[in-house]
């Protein structure tokens, strides 16, 4: 266990990983909704959020929904119906079909594939941006040439290898669903994330770079698709004087109250990105000389939104650490540390860090799903890992990496204390 020193006093107020930051206009738009009784899933705030998001990201249409997960569900349903035709009631549109998915991500990226009956095939991660590895993706098409859908996420606000993945998708005639939940405002070759998928999604969850407390948007350039999502997300009513239903509906529309908060937040996106970039740079500077690196982002092509600052410990500086399904143990060694110790150290001064997203292929719920690495089938080669003939990049980053407190309200002196307590773990 990390032995706390008395040289650093715990923060009186908890320092969060990434917490909401309100500015004022949010309350005005909420108040306007209240005073005009537009306390519903229709109203001016929703219209404005949709207009502003589509404009900012550079897409023709945005549809406001209750959360990013709902937006991703609509993406999967659209993709499934386009690829495999309209499904029978009680059957998902991706039923029985394999879908290539980012592996090291939040489960909300991939669960919607399963809502629609699809079978996620997990594609390993690369070290350059911590996103889907195009080499592993190409390998996956060798194993499953019939696959027609790829689901990618831009982790921690860093765009993935978009050119490479789009080229592979094109070659194999596959569609892309893009999960830009964490990367709102990040660009790749000066284009916004959220503009690269056939269907894309963003999130306004409470810990995202701007928030409505909840909410999300579906993004597309197709009016027909936008209209379908508007219809499905409001219980799939047909055009009739009564409630007429020909399709399965969902109650996924955004609230006009929540949209008021998002509308008030939107003008502050660039400011939040600038603050988060500064935090990242300050960590990078502060960790100089230590055997750790910050999360990488392919600086020649990508401008991340720096949603979360993460670090990864050099292999040689890792002490022994084991994790099972619910606990973690480590053996302290001089000059070495591990994410478990650093997270304990951060927690000991009343601050919040977090492990890296545990790869999906290692989650009990997805233990039967295929997993493809750059060297081939990640499931079949357990011995190959031991022999060093195979890699599992996601598990490597998970075991050596962690997310640092990245709150945009963190003051430099507080951040210095985080840097100091992390440094102490190496003694
Ligand atoms: C937050 C998040 C989501 C889900 O968004 P919600 O609005 O919370 O439903 C999806 N994918 C990733 C990668 C996320 O971080």
């Amino acid at each position: 266990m990390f032995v706390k020193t008395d040289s650093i006093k715990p923060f009186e107020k908890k320092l969060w990983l990434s917490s909401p930051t309100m500015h004022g206009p949010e309350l005005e738009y909420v108040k306007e909704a209240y005073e005009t009784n537009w306390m519903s899933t229709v109203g001016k705030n929703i219209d404005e959020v949709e207009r502003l998001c589509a404009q900012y990201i550079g897409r023709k249409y945005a549809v406001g929904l209750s959360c990013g997960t709902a937006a991703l569900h609509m993406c999967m349903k659209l993709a499934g119906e386009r690829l495999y035709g309209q499904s029978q009631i009680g059957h998902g549109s991706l039923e029985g079909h394999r879908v290539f998915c980012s592996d090291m991500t939040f489960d909300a990226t991939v669960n919607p594939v399963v809502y629609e009956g699809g079978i996620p095939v997990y594609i390993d991660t690369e070290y350059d941006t911590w996103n889907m590895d195009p080499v592993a993706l190409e390998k996956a098409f060798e194993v499953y040439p019939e696959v027609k859908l790829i689901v990618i996420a831009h982790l921690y606000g860093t765009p993935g290898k978009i050119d490479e993945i789009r080229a592979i998708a094109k070659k194999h005639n596959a569609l892309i669903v893009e999960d830009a939940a964490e990367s709102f405002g990040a660009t790749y070759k000066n284009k916004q994330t959220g503009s690269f998928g056939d269907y894309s999604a963003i999130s306004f969850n409470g810990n995202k770079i701007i928030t409505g407390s909840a909410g999300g948007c579906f993004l597309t350039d197709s009016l027909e698709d936008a209209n379908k999502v508007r219809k499905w997300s409001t219980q799939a009513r047909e055009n009739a004087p009564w409630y007429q239903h020909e399709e399965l509906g969902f109650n996924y529309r955004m609230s006009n109250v929540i949209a008021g908060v998002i509308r008030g937040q939107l003008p502050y996106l660039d400011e939040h990105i600038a603050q988060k970039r500064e935090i990242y740079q300050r960590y990078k500077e502060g960790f100089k000389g230590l055997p750790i690196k910050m999360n990488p982002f392919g600086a020649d092509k990508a401008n991340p939104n720096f949603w979360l600052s993460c670090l990864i410990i050099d292999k040689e500086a890792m002490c022994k650490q084991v994790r099972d399904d619910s606990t973690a143990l480590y053996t302290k060694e001089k000059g070495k540390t591990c994410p478990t110790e650093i997270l304990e150290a951060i927690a000991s001064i009343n601050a919040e860090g977090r492990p890296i997203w545990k790869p999906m292929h290692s989650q009990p719920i997805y233990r039967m799903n295929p997993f493809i690495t750059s060297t081939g089938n990640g499931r079949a080669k357990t011995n190959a890992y031991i022999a060093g003939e195979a890699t599992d990049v996601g598990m490597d980053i998970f075991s050596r990496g962690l997310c640092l407190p990245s709150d945009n309200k963190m003051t430099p002196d507080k951040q210095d204390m985080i840097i100091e307590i992390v440094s102490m773990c190496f003694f």
Side-chain angles (χ1 to χ4, degrees):
M1 227 176 46
F2 176 78
V3 184
K4 207 181 84 54
T5 62
D6 293 329
S7 64
I8 301 183
K9 272 226 188 80
F11 300 129
E12 255 169 55
K13 234 177 93 194
K14 183 159 180 172
L15 175 60
W16 299 100
L17 185 79
S18 179
S19 72
T21 306
M22 295 295 123
H23 297 274
E26 297 90 342
L27 198 56
E28 296 307 310
Y29 292 125
V30 169
K31 207 169 146 209
E32 188 183 304
Y34 177 89
E35 283 172 348
T36 55
N37 286 314
W38 286 98
M39 302 294 279
S40 181
T41 49
V42 281
K44 193 167 163 203
N45 288 334
I46 301 173
D47 297 343
E48 278 301 287
V49 165
E50 291 180 343
R51 188 181 68 79
L52 292 166
C53 285
Q55 186 186 54
Y56 187 93
I57 293 172
R59 295 222 72 155
K60 287 204 182 116
Y61 308 99
V63 182
L65 298 172
S66 54
C67 60
T69 312
L72 284 161
H73 187 181
M74 296 293 91
C75 292
M76 305 308 171
K77 189 170 162 67
L78 279 169
E81 295 204 347
R82 179 158 150 203
L83 292 167
Y84 307 114
Q86 202 176 349
S87 55
Q88 281 184 311
I89 291 293
H91 293 266
S93 62
L94 293 167
E95 191 114 334
H97 295 285
R98 291 189 185 88
V99 177
F100 293 151
C101 298
S102 281
D103 177 53
M104 196 175 82
T105 184
F106 186 34
D107 71 341
T109 306
V110 302
N111 287 346
V113 170
V114 182
Y115 301 165
E116 285 300 309
I119 304 162
V121 172
Y122 293 111
I123 309 299
D124 201 10
T125 309
E126 36 82 1
Y127 286 111
D128 300 336
T129 77
W130 293 9
N131 287 299
M132 184 188 280
D133 181 0
V135 180
L137 179 63
E138 190 60 275
K139 266 265 158 19
F141 273 110
E142 286 172 24
V143 185
Y144 303 107
E146 76 283 4
V147 170
K148 288 282 170 252
L149 182 59
I150 303 165
V151 180
I152 58 162
H154 306 295
L155 216 66
Y156 302 130
T158 298
K161 295 193 171 177
I162 293 169
D163 278 350
E164 291 87 337
I165 286 171
R166 286 181 115 195
I168 295 169
K170 196 167 168 215
K171 181 176 154 197
H172 296 278
N173 232 338
L175 300 176
I176 295 177
V177 166
E178 181 191 23
D179 177 357
E182 299 181 357
S183 64
F184 189 25
T187 61
Y188 178 86
K189 290 183 164 177
N190 295 318
K191 272 189 74 187
Q192 290 285 322
T193 59
S195 70
F196 296 106
D198 293 279
Y199 314 101
S200 302
I202 52 172
S203 162
F204 303 108
N205 177 295
N207 69 9
K208 299 300 197 285
I209 194 148
I210 64 160
T211 183
S213 73
C217 272
F218 163 80
L219 299 154
T220 181
D221 295 322
S222 152
L223 177 61
E224 197 189 335
D225 288 342
N227 284 339
K228 273 188 192 168
V229 170
R230 281 177 210 285
K231 179 185 169 189
W232 292 340
S233 64
T234 49
Q235 309 288 21
R237 288 179 64 182
E238 297 299 327
N239 196 5
W242 45 81
Y243 278 78
Q244 179 83 5
H245 300 288
E246 294 176 10
E247 290 182 283
L248 192 62
F250 301 86
N251 184 5
Y252 276 176
R253 200 73 164 113
M254 181 182 278
S255 146
N256 193 49
V257 179
I258 282 176
V261 182
I262 301 165
R263 186 181 173 192
Q265 284 261 289
L266 279 169
Y268 296 93
L269 173 57
D270 292 342
E271 182 183 314
H272 288 191
I273 294 173
Q275 291 164 335
K276 298 253 187 190
R277 181 187 292 114
E278 221 162 280
I279 287 168
Y280 179 97
Q281 298 295 359
R282 198 179 177 84
Y283 274 130
K284 196 172 173 148
E285 201 55 38
F287 292 144
K288 269 195 179 144
L290 291 173
I292 50 185
K293 289 177 188 62
M294 295 298 290
N295 50 321
F297 59 88
D300 52 330
K301 286 183 181 167
N303 264 315
N305 69 5
F306 298 97
W307 175 54
L308 293 188
S309 283
C310 307
L311 66 75
I312 182 161
I313 303 165
D314 290 352
K315 273 193 179 121
E316 309 75 53
M318 276 285 290
C319 68
K320 192 169 179 318
Q321 170 193 248
V322 287
R323 284 166 163 167
D324 70 6
D325 279 347
S326 58
T327 49
L329 292 170
Y330 63 92
T331 312
K332 182 67 194 156
E333 287 172 63
K334 206 170 156 41
K336 296 184 175 187
T337 186
C338 61
T340 306
E341 185 185 31
I342 294 178
L343 289 169
E344 282 177 4
I346 289 171
S348 79
I349 58 165
N350 200 22
E352 185 188 24
R354 194 200 267 167
I356 298 295
W357 295 125
K358 186 176 174 184
M360 288 299 115
H361 79 273
S362 70
Q363 300 285 358
I365 180 178
Y366 290 125
R367 70 193 176 281
M368 302 303 281
N369 292 59
F371 169 54
I372 308 288
T373 69
S374 59
T375 50
N377 184 342
R379 292 278 186 219
K381 290 193 173 174
T382 314
N383 287 333
Y385 287 110
I386 297 161
E389 291 159 10
T391 52
D392 177 342
V393 177
M395 282 311 274
D396 182 38
I397 297 173
F398 172 66
S399 62
R400 294 193 288 128
L402 64 104
C403 307
L404 292 154
S406 308
D407 199 75
N408 55 333
K409 295 178 291 308
M410 175 167 61
T411 54
D413 59 312
K414 285 206 170 129
Q415 192 177 353
D416 286 346
M417 280 154 84
I418 299 294
I419 291 167
E420 196 179 330
I421 200 118
V422 170
S423 311
M424 283 163 66
C425 293
F426 287 92
F427 291 118

